[in-house]
C-alpha cells in the first residue's frame, strides 16, 4: 500500500536558521512528490513538486526539497527561516497503483521563533 | 484567474440531516478532488472527478457521494450526518490530464454536526 510519513508533528526553529521538514514515502512505482503549505483558516497552497530529473527541486518562497530515491525521502528545506513561514506543511505522493490517488502525510506544524 | 471557490464557507447541521457542498474549479481545470481535514486524521482523500466521471475514490462510506457537471463544477453530498463528519472539507482542482499536475485548493467548507 502507498503511504507517506511525516515523522514530526511540530518543528521549532529560530528565525534566520535553516529549517528542514521531513517526509518519507512508500510506493510501488515511480512517485510524483509534492509539498503544500496551509496557513491558518485557509486552503492548501502548492509549494513545489518532483517529477523526474534533478533531485533538488526549488519552489515558492525560497523553499526547496531534495528527492532521495535510496532513502525514499523528500525533505523540505529552507536556508533561512522567517516568522511568516510558520504554518502547517503537508507532503503528498502520487504513484500508480491501479489508479493515481493523492496520498497526503499527516502534516508538520512549523513554528519559527523570533 | 479566479481561484477555486467553495460554498458555503460554514455550515451547521444536526445528526441525521444531509448536506451538499459546492466547488467551482479554476477555469479550464477538469479535475476536481475532495478531501476531509480533521485535526486527528489529517487530510483524507474522498474522491476525484474528471470530465464528469469519478476517477478515484477514497475509503469513505457510501453516505459520501459526489458529482461533477459539464462545466466542471462539483458537488459533494453527505447523507445521514454523524457527529464524526464535523470537519473542514476541501476541494482542489487541477488541469487533470497528467498525474504530476499540482492541485489548487479552495478555502474549504467548515461543517459542524451537532
Amino acid at each position: 500500500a502507498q503511504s507517506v510519513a511525516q515523522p514530526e508533528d511540530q518543528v521549532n526553529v529560530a528565525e534566520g536558521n535553516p529549517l528542514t521538514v521531513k517526509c518519507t514515502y512508500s510506493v510501488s512505482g515511480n512517485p510524483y512528490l509534492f509539498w503544500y503549505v496551509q496557513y491558518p483558516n485557509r486552503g492548501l497552497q502548492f509549494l513545489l513538486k518532483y517529477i523526474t530529473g534533478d533531485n533538488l527541486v526549488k519552489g515558492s518562497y525560497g523553499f526547496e526539497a531534495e528527492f532521495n530515491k535510496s532513502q525514499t525521502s523528500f525533505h523540505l528545506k529552507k536556508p533561512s527561516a522567517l516568522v511568516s513561514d510558520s504554518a502547517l506543511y503537508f507532503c503528498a505522493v502520487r504513484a500508480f497503483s491501479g489508479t493515481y490517488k493523492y496520498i497526503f502525510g499527516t502534516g508538520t506544524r512549523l513554528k519559527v521563533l523570533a | 484567474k479566479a481561484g477555486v471557490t467553495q460554498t458555503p464557507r460554514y455550515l451547521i447541521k444536526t445528526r441525521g440531516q444531509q448536506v451538499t457542498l459546492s466547488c467551482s474549479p479554476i477555469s479550464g481545470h477538469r479535475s476536481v478532488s475532495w478531501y476531509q481535514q480533521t485535526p486527528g486524521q489529517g487530510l483524507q482523500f474522498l474522491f476525484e472527478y474528471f470530465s464528469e466521471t469519478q476517477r478515484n475514490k477514497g475509503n469513505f462510506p457510501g453516505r459520501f457521494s459526489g458529482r461533477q457537471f459539464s462545466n466542471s463544477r462539483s458537488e459533494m453530498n453527505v447523507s445521514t450526518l454523524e457527529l464524526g463528519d464535523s470537519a473542514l472539507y476541501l476541494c482542489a482542482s487541477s488541469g487533470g490530464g497528467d498525474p504530476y499536475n499540482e492541485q489548487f485548493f479552495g478555502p474549504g467548507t467548515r461543517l459542524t454536526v451537532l
Side-chain angles (χ1 to χ4, degrees):
Chain A
Q2 298 181 70
S3 64
V4 175
Q6 292 181 245
E8 301 153 319
D9 290 336
Q10 181 158 322
V11 169
N12 295 328
V13 63
E15 187 175 31
N17 281 3
L19 70 87
T20 298
V21 182
K22 295 179 181 177
C23 172
T24 59
Y25 64 90
S26 175
V27 300
S28 53
N30 291 321
Y32 301 117
L33 296 155
F34 305 80
W35 276 101
Y36 291 86
V37 60
Q38 186 177 35
Y39 297 101
N41 301 315
R42 295 175 66 176
L44 278 69
Q45 293 179 34
F46 168 74
L47 274 179
L48 50 78
K49 66 181 176 183
Y50 172 82
I51 302 174
T52 187
D54 195 349
N55 290 341
L56 185 64
V57 179
K58 294 189 183 296
S60 306
Y61 312 122
F63 284 94
E64 57 189 28
E66 187 168 10
F67 171 65
N68 188 317
K69 188 172 184 178
S70 62
Q71 296 186 5
T72 61
S73 67
F74 190 55
H75 300 331
L76 181 70
K77 300 182 180 184
K78 187 173 182 182
S80 178
L82 300 171
V83 171
S84 57
D85 292 330
S86 298
L88 187 57
Y89 290 80
F90 289 94
C91 179
V93 66
R94 210 168 191 198
F96 188 75
S97 180
T99 59
Y100 272 108
K101 290 184 186 178
Y102 256 107
I103 308 295
F104 278 80
T106 50
T108 298
R109 188 163 298 282
L110 173 67
K111 196 168 184 179
V112 181
L113 308 168
Chain B
K1 239 181 194 180
V4 178
T5 58
Q6 292 187 245
T7 57
R9 291 293 309 278
Y10 301 92
L11 264 179
I12 299 176
K13 293 285 187 179
T14 56
R15 276 183 302 173
Q17 287 187 309
Q18 76 163 14
V19 67
T20 299
L21 312 181
S22 182
C23 171
S24 292
I26 290 172
S27 178
H29 284 189
R30 293 191 292 164
S31 168
V32 173
S33 297
W34 289 90
Y35 296 87
Q36 181 193 67
Q37 185 178 16
T38 57
Q41 299 293 322
L43 212 64
Q44 301 290 314
F45 170 74
L46 281 153
F47 27 66
E48 178 192 12
Y49 286 86
F50 180 77
S51 293
E52 302 180 66
T53 301
Q54 189 179 83
R55 184 157 77 166
N56 283 305
K57 191 177 187 305
N59 300 320
F60 277 80
R63 300 185 296 108
F64 292 82
S65 63
R67 58 178 176 168
Q68 187 180 32
F69 302 95
S70 58
N71 61 358
S72 292
R73 190 178 70 84
S74 178
E75 287 182 348
M76 189 191 92
N77 184 274
V78 188
S79 62
T80 320
L81 283 166
E82 300 177 359
L83 294 178
D85 296 333
S86 293
L88 180 67
Y89 290 87
L90 293 167
C91 165
S93 75
S94 72
D98 299 303
Y100 48 77
N101 289 329
E102 61 269 27
Q103 295 187 312
F104 295 82
F105 285 79
T109 294
R110 171 109 20 222
L111 171 65
T112 302
V113 182
L114 303 175

